[in-house]
Amino acid sequence: MVCDNRRRWFADPRAAAIAITHLQEIDQRGYARSLAWVVMPDHVHWLLELDAKPLSDVARRFKSSSALALNRMRGRGGAVWQAGYHDHAVRSEDSLHRHAMYILGNPVRAGLSEQIGNYPYTWSIWPHDR
């Protein structure tokens, strides 16, 4: 999911913490099960297993709740996220792990971290050194 106009909302650690809180809330409410995520300065990669809700509902809930909190933090209104998102169905355990490592490697490829596991806004159910 990409921020509106590629705005670098999550370069601010407070904003990144808000996004993380809302990712975790989706899990806590049982809407989906997060497998890996990274909050980049202007977008979020999120690998998840759907549970009670369809992907469109999960994405809408995350985007709307995080946007409200981010706008409240900034004392403003308006769009936080671009419309839509890119999704990809994963069909094997090996592919699942490759996608997770791709997500966790995003900060390295962007020059924000020197190695997987050092960027503060990533999480995965798998160890990073696998």
Side-chain angles (χ1 to χ4, degrees):
M1 292 174 268
V2 179
C3 294
D4 189 54
N5 293 317
R6 284 283 185 176
R7 184 173 175 169
R8 295 174 55 86
W9 278 96
F10 307 118
D12 179 340
R14 297 171 304 151
I18 287 171
I20 290 167
T21 295
H22 288 270
L23 289 168
Q24 293 168 336
E25 184 177 281
I26 295 292
D27 287 348
Q28 291 164 357
R29 292 183 182 262
Y31 300 138
R33 178 177 169 240
S34 292
L35 304 175
W37 46 255
V38 61
V39 178
M40 298 292 288
D42 64 355
H43 66 281
V44 171
H45 288 276
W46 188 15
L47 180 63
L48 57 97
E49 180 179 68
L50 294 172
D51 193 17
K53 303 282 184 186
L55 181 58
S56 58
D57 286 0
V58 172
R60 181 179 39 77
R61 183 173 296 271
F62 168 73
K63 288 169 91 173
S64 66
S65 66
S66 62
L68 286 170
L70 289 162
N71 278 331
R72 197 173 308 121
M73 178 192 86
R74 296 276 191 185
R76 59 156 283 210
V80 170
W81 298 103
Q82 286 183 8
Y85 51 88
H86 175 76
D87 65 329
H88 179 80
V90 178
R91 307 211 186 281
S92 72
E93 188 67 32
D94 186 50
S95 178
L96 193 62
H97 186 259
R98 275 196 317 274
H99 279 80
M101 291 303 104
Y102 173 83
I103 287 169
L104 298 174
N106 206 264
V108 176
R109 288 187 300 280
L112 298 173
S113 177
E114 291 190 17
Q115 69 182 32
I116 289 177
N118 284 354
Y119 187 67
Y121 312 122
T122 60
W123 177 86
S124 171
I125 64 169
W126 294 280
H128 299 251
D129 60 351
R130 190 170 160 197

